[in-house]
Amino acid sequence: MNTDDFKPTTIDITPRDTVFCTCAEHTQENILLITLSGTCEPGSTGENYGRFFYQKIGLALLKFQPNAVLIDMRNLSYKYGDRIGGVFQVFNEVRIHEDDVVLAAFVLSNKNVHGIASLLNFNPDNLEPPLFLDIDTAYSYLYTEYDKI
């Protein structure tokens, strides 16, 4: 076998038509901002967007190896279905540093908080960390927790 027969490539996940996932690195801290936007299909028809988010976030965790992640879901419309669970599940399954879980904060909005609350069983009128409705509060929480690392 000749390794010259291989060409370098990049790893990316095929984009979806109705949902989007972008990443940005903090300029000074090891914090990653992941923005999820678009419209999720309801119920079991949303399998593809759930897998897409899971894969994109997992790939970002492995590539950037952040100590903390801010997930901005303010522009993501979601009503119901269990596929969105992958957005939260990926942080329990993808490991960067042995058994350490990556610190994450999630910013929800009126476009998705009731649907996500029905899936994750929390009170949408009384969010507790790591769930927030305000990005500044979420970032402050994340930065405070990150500073403890």
Side-chain angles (χ1 to χ4, degrees):
M1 183 186 88
N2 183 354
T3 57
D4 291 336
D5 292 336
F6 294 85
K7 65 178 182 175
T9 186
T10 59
I11 300 172
D12 202 4
I13 307 299
T14 304
R16 296 283 156 219
D17 294 338
T18 61
V19 293
F20 308 92
C21 179
T22 60
C23 300
E25 293 179 273
H26 194 283
T27 58
Q28 297 173 353
E29 304 292 342
N30 192 14
I31 299 174
L32 188 63
L33 170 65
I34 298 178
T35 304
L36 308 180
S37 60
T39 302
C40 296
E41 298 171 24
S44 61
T45 59
E47 181 176 355
N48 288 334
Y49 77 78
R51 185 178 301 117
F52 171 71
F53 285 149
Y54 183 94
Q55 292 172 339
K56 288 287 280 194
I57 293 170
L59 183 58
L61 292 175
L62 294 171
K63 180 177 179 178
F64 297 105
Q65 299 187 0
N67 288 335
V69 179
L70 181 61
I71 304 288
D72 182 359
M73 301 170 69
R74 293 176 295 163
N75 291 313
L76 181 70
S77 295
Y78 166 79
K79 293 186 182 190
Y80 67 92
D82 61 356
R83 302 304 183 198
I84 198 78
V87 170
F88 304 93
Q89 184 179 359
V90 68
F91 289 96
N92 294 323
E93 296 178 354
V94 175
R95 297 284 190 241
I96 298 169
H97 309 288
E98 297 178 20
D99 291 334
D100 292 344
V101 175
V102 176
L103 178 63
F106 302 87
V107 186
L108 310 178
S109 73
N110 63 352
K111 294 180 179 185
N112 54 41
V113 69
H114 293 285
I116 293 172
S118 68
L119 179 65
L120 299 181
N121 297 316
F122 63 84
N123 182 348
D125 297 321
N126 187 25
L127 296 183
E128 295 181 14
L131 304 171
F132 301 89
L133 288 175
D134 174 68
I135 196 164
D136 293 326
T137 306
Y139 178 75
S140 179
Y141 160 81
L142 196 64
Y143 192 80
T144 299
E145 294 300 309
Y146 170 83
D147 207 31
K148 294 177 185 177
I149 296 175

